[in-house]
Each structure stands twice: as structure tokens, then as C-alpha cells.
């Protein structure tokens, strides 16, 4: 990262707000809209009125005469025409504070804000002079929000408790309008004139109120006029990456900035609206909706692409763009040590040119949709069951790169092997950028007859993991369930295969083979019976009818017929059970230990077939056990989240 230069100096608040209104200070377009509520505005005003610190600002200086790097917009409520002004600085941190102060203290228009009940309201802001001067009063109580018509009403709007609709009423109620805090002379003249004529020109009344305002001016208003704010100004040469990092560090009060928003601002400066591509515009559906709903029946709540993020789409595009740049460098004879890298990290997104984005965006959309079809073929029908959300990025990029070749059976087999090696090697949980780059280069080359990809070589499953996989948030745990669906697991009761339609119609989920209650009654530790070995996909209604009894008992029920279900021949039922990699004889004898050992072997064979790797004897390594689901969620370690 280039060295970052910055300077720090205090600037008068009035000067900052004046520059905001004139367009000399503007916002980069990745800044979110002004959203402060009424109570926070009052607290901010109270702090300034007492000369308390409200935090530093951070700006990015702009080079005069240089085309904008980021799209920008004026502070909300700034004067008309300021969008055409070339700003001196972009405000990186302090938007909410500056906008709140500009709208309440400078802009002579009613302020739209939010109540504690999350309702939009319009308010004028005043300082109650007497409360502001009371020595023991909370200054926030002296900051008052008044409705748009400047009347506070009670009794269902039938009674007017306070009327400030004219300057004379403001003087009478000793309520100072905040829009005059930097220039109070004219208001003070009107105030003096009003009290000079009040009560028949009683000079004692006049002198009392004049003294009150003089004290208010000295103790409160002068704090606004003299108030200075520390400003950290980043130099104009600060890199995009540094701007992004700095913004994330200082933006502690809101959602973290991601690369999509920075890229959006950069593309907007060149006339392209990236947000419209993602969210849609002018009645056109955006990519977000097109992907989330792709291949999903109208009555299905979830799809495998439900949680695709715009940064993931940009990552796939960046992989293909940097791969194309590298291939061109190879064609140009660039030496190996000097070849540009294939990348998908944040910096590669910030470096992604608009032309590269436009070249690959359509192909990547097709790639994600092809990935969704592929995942359904692998027995993964909804995002909740997706082992790794992150693995969608290289998968979509690979589909985009190989195009129609993906339709051939031999290619599908290779893609499936690569995919399952990634899952059972548990390779996409963290530090995935370098693996993405290898995948998008090596997998297409492998399809064309090249060497096995690194992910396939690395994707070996440790057999000792099977007994320690308890959490459905684990990628490998979800992988086992998907493999059972892929290889044709049938419903115990109906014998129907759990294809995509039945999966949703019958609310199929992972349930115990030896029920939880039976295992608990048999004093079997949860650390044994709760592993994936004792679980399998079962339809909701079937699981309800099975209940918590011994396997021998629920198999007998199924044979005799439960409720309206007709009897089921034993050999037919045994076929249903075997489709789950379960020995029906062991299940009928309630032989839990023998069942566990036998099914472990069957599941390991299923994994071996999917990965193409022989499952070797467990190495003498430290055992790995899944975290409990609640701890995994709190730690943010869920593989598919």
C-alpha cells in the first residue's frame, strides 16, 4: 500500500457547515444516507452548546482540476446546484454529525428525522433559554423539537400547549430557534424590541429579559460560534484501499463498508450505475433478485443462491478478469516471475476496471445459475444446506470460463469431484483467495486434460472426523447429508426418492436414525449418538410417525401401516432403509454399536466415491470436533453463513 499522508488541524464548526452548504465539502457516494433520529440530534446539539467534544472528522482532499475518482453527492439539504461544484474535500467520517448540524443550525427549512418509535416526522429545533441557563438542568432537556407548524398540541391536537409560529411568540416563550445560532443579531433585535414594548413598556421587565439573553448569548451561543472540530485530512494521493480501510475503522456506528460500495462510487464517476445492475431500476429486475430466485419454485422459501452478495459476484468477475490479463501476458512472452497474479481479494475488486466488469458480468451471471443447477444435482436444494457459501465464487467463475463444455458428463464428473474434495477436505473455511485463484486456473486446465487441481489433491477426508461431526453448521456434516440425497435416499414410509420437489413438499430435514429419546433412555452419551453417523434425511411427516421409539418398533409400525398408511412389505422397507447407507438387519435388532460401526464404513465409502480418494486409517493427529451450534453462530464460524 502506498504511504498515506495526512494532516490534522482544528476548523471552526461554522466554516465546516458553510462549506457543506456550498458544496466545497461533499460525500463520496459509498456513504449511506443521513439517518439520525431526533434524540441523537438533540444530544449532539446539547454537546456543542456546552463546548463538549463531539469527535473528529476525517476528509479526503481532492486534487483541483482532476477528474473524480469516486462518485460524490452534496450533504443532504445543501443548496441547489452544489452537485455541480468541484469539492475541495470528501467527508469520510462525520457525515451524520455534519448533516445533523447543517440541517438544524444553518439550513432554514424544517428537518425530517425519526422518532424513538421509528416514525418519520418533521421538526424545527429550538433551545429553551431558561432551561439552558438552569445550573442543575440536563442540557439535552433544553433542546426541543417542534412540529412543522411550530405548535405543540395536546388533547388529541385540540389544545395548543406552545405556539412558536411567529417570532413574537418565540420571544414571548423564550425559545431560541437553532437556525440563528451563528447569526443571532437580527433575532436579538426583534427580541429586544418585543420586550421593550411588553407590559406597557415596563423597563424592569425589559432589563430582566435583556440580561437573560445576554447571559444566554455568552454561556451558550458563543460556544457555537467559537466551536472548533478536529479534522484529519487525508492527502489526495491516498489509495483506494487505504480509503476503504480507513472508512471501515472509523465507521464504527454503522454497517461496515465493503468493496462493492467503493467500486460503485468509482464506476458512477464514469457514468455507470453499478447499484442498478445489482438492485434493478426502471422496472427491470436486478441481478440480486435474478440469482436469488433462479430455479426456485414459487412456493419455495429458499434457493441455493439466496444469500449471494454483490462482492461475491465481483470476486468471480475479478478472477476471470485477472486470469485473462495473465493469459495475455503469457501470450506476450512475459517471464514467469513477472506474470500478473490471478486475484479475487479486496484490492483486486478496487482495481477492477469498468471494461473488465462489463466484459465478464453476463458470463458470471450464467456461471452462478449453472452453479445452482449443478448444486441441485449434488443434492443441495437450499442455501441453509449449502456447505460453503464461499465455494460458490470459484464454482461460478469456473462455469463461466468453460461455458457449454460444462454440459458434458465427463466434465460434470470432474467438477463434482473437485467440489466434494473442497467440502470434505474442509478447504473453504478461511483464507480462500489463493485457493480461488488456483481453482479458476487449474480446474479448467484439468478439464482440458491437465494435472489434478490443488483442491482435488488437498481434499482428503480424515475418517476420525466422522464421529465428531455434530453441528449442522459444519460443511462436511452438510456434505454427508447432500451425498445421501444425491445417491438416492428414499423416504422410509413412502419409498419416494428425495428429489428437489419432494424435498420441499415433504419438509425433509436431518433427523436421528436411533431417536434422541431412545438413545437418552439407553444412557448413550450425546457425544456418540448426536454425530452425523446416527443422522439421515427424513421427511417431516415420516419423522413424526416414527416418534422416539426403538428402530425395531418404528420399522414394525411402518410394516403394519401407521394410521391411514397401508402395510409395507418387509423387503420393500429394507430397500428404503438401505438407500440411506443403513443395514436394515442391524436396525431391526436395535444394535446401536454395530449399526454405528457399519454405517461409519458405509458413509466413508460414500465420501471416498465422491472425492476419488481412498479413505486411509485415521492419522494420529489432534482430534477435531465441531463446535456446538450456538457457539459456532456466536463466533461467526458457520460455514454457510
Amino acid at each position: 500500500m502506498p504511504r498515506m499522508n495526512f494532516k490534522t488541524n482544528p476548523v471552526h464548526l461554522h466554516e465546516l457547515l458553510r462549506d457543506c452548504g456550498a458544496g466545497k465539502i461533499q460525500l463520496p457516494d459509498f456513504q449511506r444516507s443521513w439517518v439520525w433520529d431526533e434524540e441523537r440530534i438533540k444530544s449532539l446539539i446539547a454537546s456543542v452548546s456546552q463546548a463538549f467534544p463531539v469527535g473528529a472528522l476525517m476528509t479526503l482532499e481532492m486534487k483541483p482540476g482532476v477528474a473524480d475518482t469516486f462518485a460524490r453527492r452534496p450533504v443532504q439539504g445543501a443548496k441547489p446546484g452544489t452537485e455541480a461544484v468541484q469539492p475541495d474535500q470528501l467527508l469520510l467520517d462525520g457525515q451524520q454529525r455534519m448533516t445533523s448540524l447543517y440541517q438544524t443550525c444553518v439550513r432554514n427549512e424544517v428537518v425530517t428525522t425519526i422518532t424513538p418509535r421509528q416514525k418519520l416526522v418533521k421538526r424545527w429545533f429550538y433551545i429553551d433559554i431558561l432551561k439552558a441557563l438552569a445550573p442543575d438542568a440536563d442540557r439535552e432537556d433544553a433542546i426541543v423539537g417542534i412540529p412543522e407548524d411550530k405548535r405543540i398540541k395536546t388533547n388529541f391536537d385540540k389544545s395548543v400547549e406552545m405556539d412558536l409560529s411567529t417570532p413574537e411568540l418565540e420571544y414571548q416563550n423564550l425559545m431560541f430557534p437553532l437556525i440563528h445560532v451563528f447569526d443571532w443579531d437580527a433575532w436579538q433585535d426583534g427580541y429586544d424590541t418585543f420586550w421593550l414594548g411588553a407590559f406597557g413598556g415596563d423597563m424592569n421587565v425589559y432589563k430582566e429579559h435583556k440580561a437573560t439573553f445576554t447571559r444566554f448569548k455568552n454561556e451558550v451561543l458563543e460556544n457555537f460560534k467559537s466551536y472548533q472540530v478536529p479534522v484529519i485530512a487525508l492527502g489526495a494521493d491516498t489509495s483506494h484501499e487505504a480509503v476503504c480501510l480507513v472508512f471501515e475503522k472509523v465507521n464504527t456506528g454503522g454497517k461496515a463498508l465493503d468493496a462493492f460500495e467503493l467500486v460503485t462510487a468509482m464506476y458512477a464517476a464514469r457514468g455507470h450505475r453499478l447499484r442498478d445492475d445489482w438492485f434493478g431500476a426502471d422496472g427491470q429486475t436486478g441481478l440480486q433478485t435474478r440469482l436469488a430466485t433462479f430455479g426456485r419454485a414459487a412456493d419455495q422459501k429458499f434457493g441455493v443462491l439466496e444469500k449471494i452478495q454483490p462482492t461475491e459476484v465481483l470476486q468471480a468477475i475479478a478472477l476471470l478478469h485477472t486470469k485473462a490479463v495473465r493469459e495475455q501476458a503469457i501470450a506476450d512472452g512475459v517471464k514467469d516471475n513477472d506474470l500478473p497474479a490471478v486475484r479475487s481479494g479486496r484490492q483486486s475488486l478496487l482495481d477492477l476496471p469498468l471494461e473488465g466488469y462489463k466484459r465478464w458480468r453476463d458470463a458470471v451471471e450464467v456461471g452462478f445459475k449453472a452453479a445452482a443447477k449443478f448444486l441441485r444435482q449434488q443434492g443441495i436444494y437450499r442455501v441453509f444446506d449449502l456447505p460453503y457459501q464461499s465455494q460458490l465464487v470459484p464454482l461460478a467463475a469456473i462455469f463461466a470460463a468453460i461455458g457449454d463444455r460444462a454440459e458434458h458428463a465427463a466434465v460434470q464428473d470432474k467438477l463434482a469431484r473437485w467440489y466434494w474434495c473442497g467440502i470434505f477436505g474442509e478447504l473453504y473455511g478461511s483464507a480462500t483467495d489463493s485457493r480461488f485463484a488456483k481453482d479458476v486456473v487449474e480446474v479448467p486446465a484439468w478439464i482440458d486434460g491437465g494435472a489434478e487441481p490443488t483442491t482435488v489433491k488437498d481434499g482428503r477426508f480424515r475418517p476420525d472426523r466422522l464421529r465428531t461431526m455434530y453441528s449442522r453448521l459444519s460443511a462436511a456434516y452438510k456434505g454427508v447429508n447432500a451425498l445421501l440425497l444425491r445417491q438416492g435416499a428414499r423416504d422410509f414410509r413412502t419409498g419416494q426418492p428425495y428429489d428437489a420437489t419432494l424435498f420441499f413438499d415433504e419438509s425433509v430435514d436431518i433427523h436421528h436414525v436411533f431417536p434422541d429419546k431412545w438413545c437418552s433412555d439407553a444412557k448413550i452419551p450425546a457425544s456418540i449418538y448426536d454425530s452425523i453417523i446416527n443422522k439421515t434425511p427424513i421427511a417431516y411427516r415420516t419423522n413424526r410417525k416414527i416418534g422416539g421409539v426403538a428402530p425395531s418398533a418404528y420399522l414394525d409400525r411402518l410394516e403394519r401401516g401407521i394410521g391411514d398408511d397401508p402395510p409395507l412389505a418387509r423387503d420393500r422397507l429394507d430397500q428404503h432403509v438401505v438407500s440411506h447407507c443403513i443395514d436394515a438387519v442391524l436396525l431391526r435388532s436395535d444394535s446401536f454399536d454395530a449399526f454405528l460401526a457399519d454405517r461409519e464404513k458405509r458413509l466413508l465409502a460414500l465420501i471416498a466415491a465422491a472425492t476419488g480418494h481412498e479413505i486411509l486409517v485415521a492419522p494420529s493427529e489432534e482430534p477435531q470436533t465441531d463446535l456446538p451450534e450456538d457457539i459456532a453462530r456466536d463466533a461467526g464460524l458457520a460455514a454457510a453463513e
Side-chain angles (χ1 to χ4, degrees):
M1 186 192 308
R3 183 176 180 181
M4 184 167 54
N5 65 86
F6 61 91
K7 58 188 178 184
T8 304
N9 60 291
V11 181
H12 279 95
L13 175 61
H14 191 205
E15 180 183 342
L16 290 169
L17 297 179
R18 181 192 63 204
D19 287 349
C20 287
K24 291 184 178 181
I25 295 177
Q26 296 190 25
L27 305 173
D29 200 42
F30 54 74
Q31 282 272 31
R32 294 167 182 86
S33 298
W34 179 66
V35 293
W36 267 26
D37 59 65
E38 186 175 358
E39 296 307 310
R40 293 180 72 184
I41 292 173
K42 291 178 181 178
S43 178
L44 175 66
I45 295 168
S47 294
V48 175
S49 76
Q50 294 171 288
F52 291 169
V54 296
L57 305 182
M58 184 171 290
T59 65
L60 174 66
E61 294 179 338
M62 305 295 289
K63 289 183 179 179
V66 177
D68 291 338
T69 301
F70 299 112
R72 52 183 171 75
R73 68 178 189 274
V75 169
Q76 189 170 327
K79 297 176 182 177
T82 51
E83 62 275 357
V85 175
Q86 177 70 32
D88 297 331
Q89 300 178 83
L90 296 182
L91 187 58
L92 299 180
D93 183 43
Q95 175 206 2
Q96 306 293 343
R97 286 167 286 161
M98 286 299 99
T99 304
S100 296
L101 290 169
Y102 176 76
Q103 293 211 10
T104 56
C105 300
V106 177
R107 176 176 175 257
N108 191 11
E109 294 183 31
V110 69
V111 178
T112 300
T113 183
I114 304 169
T115 69
R117 295 185 178 182
Q118 301 299 302
K119 303 295 184 182
L120 281 177
V121 293
K122 293 187 176 183
R123 293 284 187 261
W124 296 97
F125 287 88
Y126 284 80
I127 304 177
D128 185 317
I129 294 175
L130 294 182
K131 286 184 179 179
L133 294 176
D136 298 326
D138 187 333
R139 182 57 60 86
E140 286 190 32
D141 292 339
I143 313 302
V144 183
I146 303 294
E148 185 175 14
D149 64 359
K150 297 188 178 181
R151 293 179 174 91
I152 296 178
K153 301 173 184 176
T154 57
N155 192 25
F156 302 100
D157 288 348
K158 294 177 181 178
S159 304
V160 177
E161 184 176 295
M162 181 183 290
D163 189 346
L164 302 177
S165 58
T166 67
E168 290 73 22
L169 290 170
E170 294 173 349
Y171 309 146
Q172 179 182 330
N173 287 283
L174 297 179
M175 297 291 288
F176 183 83
L178 207 65
I179 57 171
H180 294 305
V181 290
F182 295 112
D183 184 10
W184 57 77
D185 289 346
W187 194 89
Q188 183 180 5
D189 289 343
Y191 173 92
D192 287 345
T193 301
F194 174 82
W195 287 109
L196 187 60
F199 297 96
D202 187 328
M203 291 303 294
N204 289 327
V205 172
Y206 166 70
K207 289 178 181 179
E208 179 185 347
H209 284 88
K210 184 175 179 63
T212 297
F213 188 83
T214 298
R215 184 180 162 211
F216 174 71
K217 178 174 66 175
N218 293 335
E219 296 183 13
V220 178
L221 296 184
E222 287 291 351
N223 288 336
F224 284 90
K225 182 169 283 189
S226 62
Y227 197 90
Q228 292 184 311
V229 182
V231 178
I232 302 169
L234 304 183
D237 294 325
T238 304
S239 70
H240 298 156
E241 182 184 21
V243 171
C244 185
L245 286 170
V246 166
F247 188 88
E248 288 178 347
K249 296 297 183 185
V250 301
N251 187 36
T252 56
K255 177 185 172 186
L257 177 73
D258 61 34
F260 174 76
E261 289 156 314
L262 269 177
V263 175
T264 295
M266 290 187 289
Y267 286 179
R270 297 188 58 189
H272 184 84
R273 296 184 61 83
L274 187 60
R275 280 198 184 96
D276 289 352
D277 290 355
W278 181 247
F279 295 110
D282 300 326
Q284 299 297 313
T285 303
L287 181 58
Q288 180 187 45
T289 300
R290 295 200 300 272
L291 292 180
T293 58
F294 177 75
R296 186 184 68 184
D299 59 344
Q300 292 176 9
K301 187 175 181 180
F302 301 104
V304 290
L305 302 181
E306 190 82 18
K307 292 186 178 180
I308 288 292
Q309 299 299 308
T311 48
E312 292 171 325
V313 173
L314 289 179
Q315 278 185 294
I317 292 174
L319 286 170
L320 295 170
H321 169 72
T322 53
K323 180 173 182 278
V325 170
R326 181 181 176 88
E327 290 172 345
Q328 184 60 53
I330 293 172
D332 293 341
V334 176
K335 295 180 180 179
D336 287 351
N337 291 339
D338 298 326
L339 289 173
V342 178
R343 301 178 295 143
S344 64
R346 178 170 55 187
Q347 186 59 48
S348 68
L349 305 192
L350 302 180
D351 292 339
L352 179 63
L354 179 58
E355 294 74 17
Y357 166 77
K358 288 182 176 180
R359 176 184 175 185
W360 292 107
R361 62 179 173 182
D362 292 341
V364 164
E365 178 177 356
V366 172
F368 273 105
K369 290 177 177 178
K373 293 179 182 177
F374 169 82
L375 291 171
R376 287 197 295 273
Q377 293 167 357
Q378 304 307 310
I380 300 168
Y381 305 128
R382 57 183 181 176
V383 71
F384 181 74
D385 299 313
L386 189 63
Y388 284 118
Q389 175 77 20
S390 59
Q391 200 175 2
L392 281 171
V393 172
L395 181 60
I398 290 166
F399 272 115
I402 64 179
D404 293 341
R405 286 180 294 164
E407 298 175 1
H408 299 291
V411 174
Q412 288 278 324
D413 290 344
K414 284 189 172 181
L415 287 174
R417 187 184 175 203
W418 163 81
Y419 184 74
W420 292 114
C421 283
I423 291 169
F424 289 107
E426 300 185 278
L427 301 176
Y428 291 90
S430 61
T432 54
D433 288 348
S434 60
R435 187 165 297 279
F436 288 178
K438 290 180 179 180
D439 287 338
V440 80
V441 172
E442 295 175 354
V443 174
W446 180 44
I447 288 171
D448 289 336
E452 282 187 353
T454 302
T455 295
V456 172
K457 294 176 183 177
D458 294 345
R460 293 182 177 275
F461 182 68
R462 290 179 50 191
D464 58 320
R465 277 285 287 128
L466 206 56
R467 287 183 179 241
T468 61
M469 284 161 43
Y470 312 120
S471 171
R472 66 189 306 146
L473 302 178
S474 160
Y477 181 106
K478 294 180 179 182
V480 170
N481 184 63
L483 283 183
L484 289 168
L485 295 173
R486 186 183 78 151
Q487 63 100 35
R490 294 175 172 270
D491 186 70
F492 286 177
R493 184 173 57 89
T494 67
Q496 293 179 286
Y498 291 139
D499 58 16
T501 301
L502 189 70
F503 181 87
F504 287 101
D505 288 348
E506 296 297 329
S507 301
V508 176
D509 207 345
I510 304 173
H511 296 285
H512 291 89
V513 179
F514 278 74
D516 188 317
K517 184 180 184 305
W518 184 90
C519 291
S520 297
D521 292 345
K523 308 301 182 184
I524 299 173
S527 60
I528 295 176
Y529 77 74
D530 238 2
S531 80
I532 189 64
I533 302 173
N534 186 38
K535 292 178 183 176
T536 204
I538 300 176
Y540 173 78
R541 285 191 293 177
T542 297
N543 189 59
R544 288 291 300 272
K545 291 190 175 186
I546 284 175
V549 299
S552 59
Y554 70 66
L555 290 179
D556 183 62
R557 286 182 183 176
L558 292 172
E559 281 187 41
R560 291 186 287 105
I562 304 174
D564 296 333
D565 293 342
L568 185 60
R570 172 171 289 216
D571 60 344
R572 186 78 175 271
L573 177 56
D574 287 352
Q575 292 174 13
H576 303 169
V577 171
V578 169
S579 72
H580 289 253
C581 295
I582 297 172
D583 185 321
V585 174
L586 296 177
L587 206 59
R588 291 180 186 282
S589 63
D590 298 331
S591 303
F592 180 80
D593 291 339
F595 153 80
L596 203 69
D598 178 76
R599 194 162 195 249
E600 182 177 26
K601 292 179 182 178
R602 291 173 185 256
L603 293 180
L604 289 175
L606 191 64
I607 294 170
T611 61
H613 292 305
E614 180 183 0
I615 304 294
L616 303 176
V617 175
S620 56
E621 297 181 17
E622 181 181 0
Q624 299 179 8
T625 303
D626 287 340
L627 287 174
E629 290 184 27
D630 56 344
I631 297 177
R633 285 196 185 94
D634 291 344
L637 300 178
E641 295 301 312

